[in-house]
């Protein structure tokens, strides 16, 4: 895992012993309240396991309690506002699992996560409103539609009104410098 602070210096990463994820320390934080105010993401002691076997045969064999395999074990790190953060690891290192946890799609077995000041475990709906996770594992956009049509479609699914969708599309396109390309076919990007 790589990380740089806003000033360009590297964050002090350590490899977690049971995975290819990370742990970061924040020696300059004096108290939890002041620390979390400057953080975009705080992850503390996250564990996540999954059943090692699936299906009725496994369920019967293990009497409803099949063995579990650890995907994440005691993962802790923080990301400060404005910090560039990269999550790197081999296939199967649980990078996607960690992102699903942070986006509220999966619940941890143990631990604490705060995203943009919102406790991701206690207030998952409030936290999910702030996140738009788009992974490459599934088809996330419709290639026959234009960029504008894709944004409009997903905005409608999110419940935005026509006027609000048009405003958000304009703002997002301006923010990422795609104003002149909104009507281009998505397959051309």
């Amino acid at each position: 895992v790589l990380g740089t602070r806003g000033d360009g210096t590297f964050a002090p990463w350590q490899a977690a012993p049971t995975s290819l994820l990370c742990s970061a320390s924040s020696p300059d934080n004096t108290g939890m309240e002041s620390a979390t105010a400057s953080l975009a993401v705080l992850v503390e002691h996250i564990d996540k396991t999954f059943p090692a076997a699936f299906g009725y045969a496994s369920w019967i064999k293990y009497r409803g309690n099949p063995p579990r395999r650890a995907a994440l074990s005691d993962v802790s790190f923080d990301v400060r506002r404005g910090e560039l953060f990269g999550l790197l690891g081999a296939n199967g290192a649980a990078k996607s699992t960690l992102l699903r946890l942070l986006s509220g799609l999966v619940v941890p077995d143990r631990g604490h996560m705060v995203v943009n000041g919102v406790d991701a475990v206690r207030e998952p709906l409030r936290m999910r409103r702030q996140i738009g996770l788009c992974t490459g594992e599934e088809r996330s956009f419709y290639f026959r539609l234009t960029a504008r049509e894709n944004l409009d479609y997903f905005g409608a699914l999110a419940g935005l009104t026509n006027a609000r969708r048009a405003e958000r599309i304009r703002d997002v396109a301006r923010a990422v410098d795609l104003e002149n390309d909104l009507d281009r076919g998505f397959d051309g990007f």
Side-chain angles (χ1 to χ4, degrees):
V1 177
L2 301 175
T4 62
R5 294 204 166 96
D7 63 1
T9 62
F10 282 97
W13 300 112
Q14 289 181 307
T18 57
S19 70
L20 294 177
L21 294 172
C22 67
S23 168
S25 60
S26 301
D28 55 337
N29 291 336
T30 56
M32 190 56 131
E33 283 185 25
S34 63
T36 57
S38 66
L39 296 178
V41 177
L42 174 66
V43 173
E44 296 179 312
H45 308 291
I46 293 294
D47 288 348
K48 182 62 186 169
T49 61
F50 293 101
F54 296 93
Y56 290 118
S58 172
W59 190 82
I60 291 170
K61 178 180 179 180
Y62 295 106
R63 299 180 182 169
N65 191 18
R68 299 181 71 81
R69 63 175 177 77
L72 298 172
S73 180
D74 200 29
V75 174
S76 295
F77 65 93
D78 60 53
V79 180
R80 293 186 179 109
R81 295 185 190 285
E83 183 176 41
L84 177 62
F85 180 83
L87 187 59
L88 305 174
N91 290 343
K95 301 175 301 295
S96 295
T97 299
L98 181 58
L99 291 175
R100 286 186 184 98
L101 285 162
L102 287 170
S103 64
L105 298 175
V106 177
V107 178
D109 297 338
R110 179 182 77 102
H112 179 73
M113 299 179 300
V114 177
V115 178
N116 202 26
V118 178
D119 188 309
V121 176
R122 290 188 194 151
E123 299 181 84
L125 294 177
R126 183 173 168 222
M127 188 268 311
R128 268 186 245 149
R129 286 188 205 119
Q130 302 180 56
I131 294 181
L133 177 64
C134 178
T135 67
E137 295 175 359
E138 66 276 338
R139 187 170 154 188
S140 301
F141 295 99
Y142 293 97
F143 293 98
R144 293 183 181 177
L145 300 179
T146 66
R148 183 187 311 275
E149 290 167 336
N150 268 286
L151 292 170
D152 189 57
Y153 173 73
F154 287 107
L157 287 179
L160 298 177
T161 65
N162 289 344
R164 182 70 177 132
R165 284 197 314 268
E167 177 186 349
R168 289 291 297 139
I169 290 169
R170 186 178 56 252
D171 292 346
V172 167
R174 186 177 305 125
V176 296
D177 196 27
L178 285 177
E179 292 169 296
N180 296 329
D181 295 311
L182 276 175
D183 295 311
R184 206 166 98 195
F186 189 80
D187 59 355
F189 284 95

